[in-house]
Amino acid sequence: MAATDLTLYELVLANGRLASPYAWRVRYALAHKGLAFQSVPVKFTDIPSICGGSFKTVPVLTHGDATVGDSWDIVLYLDRTFPGHPAIFSSPAEAAAVRLTDEWFSRVVQRKLFGIYALDVHDAACADDRPYFRKSREPRFQGVSLEAATADRVSRLPALREALEPLRVQLARHPYLGGNTPTYADYVVLGAFQWVASVSTLPLLAHDDPLRAWLDRGFDLYGGVGRDSRMKPLFE
Ligand SMILES: N[C@@H](CCC(=O)N[C@@H](CS)C(=O)NCC(=O)O)C(=O)O
């Protein structure tokens, strides 16, 4: 790992686990580039007081005088600023294609995952964050409680598993979503599984789901950066 003055502000759960799907994308990207960083764990309720209060979300990366928010912008910044390190995007065309994966996965799959795991995220959050999380998230469920919004979640697992089918089809062709080696498309999806595994009280995948081999490969990447004894089972 190359020494740097990179600092990553990222969301922390009550058990100390850094669980944001967006932070995990950046963590994998930093490992891909071989860049060391300092992690600053923050709670949801700390965000208004970090980096001069200019950001509504984390992750936020600081590097010397530069401060960058939003996972996608952070990754572009890393490629621009550290050209001597392995590229995350080898061309603008690759970045554009992976951006489509990011938009699909974030807007369709992560949104469905949130509907299933919202109460688990609340329960895993730092105690100070729970009232804020409930107040800010229940309006997204038409004002019903997180408990009511997730009460029928088991019945939504089949649709979620079906939504992951493009990943299985692609992984039947290649060891990684991006081909023979991991790319940012893999990191986007692995980030979501990191998040789910950090909070879940309901295994997401059937025991024989073919995603298992890729998930094992992904969690083992970069010396097992994605492995943590606090992770909950992803498989039934
Ligand atoms: N588009 C942003 C999304 C980041 C995001 O939504 N982060 C969540 C944590 S997972 C957050 O900071 N939420 C703050 C809040 O809800 O107050 C990115 O890619 O970085």
Side-chain angles (χ1 to χ4, degrees):
M1 285 283 168
T4 65
D5 56 349
L6 292 167
T7 300
L8 185 66
Y9 293 81
E10 47 183 339
L11 193 67
V12 68
L13 298 176
N15 67 359
R17 174 112 171 109
L18 300 156
S20 156
Y22 303 101
W24 270 100
R25 298 171 182 197
V26 175
R27 289 181 145 247
Y28 276 114
L30 286 159
H32 177 115
K33 292 191 81 69
L35 294 169
F37 66 100
Q38 192 204 336
S39 169
V40 177
V42 296
K43 295 180 285 183
F44 280 106
T45 45
D46 292 332
I47 296 173
S49 59
I50 62 162
C51 302
S54 347
F55 296 94
K56 290 198 161 35
T57 61
V58 285
V60 172
L61 182 87
T62 64
H63 177 226
D65 292 338
T67 307
V68 191
D70 191 87
S71 54
W72 186 266
D73 290 343
I74 291 172
V75 165
L76 294 182
Y77 176 86
L78 292 175
D79 261 356
R80 246 189 350 262
T81 311
F82 299 96
H85 290 249
I88 295 160
F89 300 121
S90 54
S91 67
E94 186 195 346
V98 173
R99 186 85 204 234
L100 174 62
T101 305
D102 180 338
E103 298 293 1
W104 162 67
F105 200 79
S106 304
R107 290 168 193 271
V108 179
V109 181
Q110 267 183 208
R111 192 166 290 181
K112 285 186 204 293
L113 286 171
F114 186 70
I116 293 173
Y117 293 106
L119 182 60
D120 286 349
V121 176
H122 169 273
D123 293 348
C126 293
D128 298 357
D129 274 350
R130 288 179 204 152
Y132 163 77
F133 186 84
R134 184 178 285 283
K135 191 162 175 238
S136 59
R137 271 38 178 200
E138 287 181 344
R140 298 187 193 174
F141 296 111
Q142 289 74 47
V144 303
S145 68
L146 298 176
E147 287 78 0
T150 54
D152 67 342
R153 65 181 185 159
V154 173
S155 69
R156 282 183 265 134
L157 278 181
L160 189 282
R161 291 174 183 174
E162 168 89 32
L164 301 175
E165 192 57 14
L167 304 178
R168 297 186 193 94
V169 173
Q170 176 73 338
L171 291 166
R173 297 187 186 110
H174 307 286
Y176 290 101
L177 296 173
N180 285 331
T181 54
T183 66
Y184 195 67
D186 294 271
Y187 308 150
V188 165
V189 181
L190 284 168
F193 283 104
Q194 285 287 344
W195 170 56
V196 170
S198 301
V199 299
S200 166
T201 58
L202 175 70
L204 173 58
L205 301 171
H207 73 281
D208 57 352
D209 193 307
L211 288 173
R212 189 191 287 269
W214 168 80
L215 275 165
D216 278 337
R217 272 196 295 283
F219 288 175
D220 285 342
L221 283 171
Y222 310 119
V225 71
R227 296 282 180 197
D228 188 312
S229 59
R230 292 166 291 188
M231 289 164 87
K232 317 278 195 328
L234 282 170
F235 294 88
E236 281 176 339

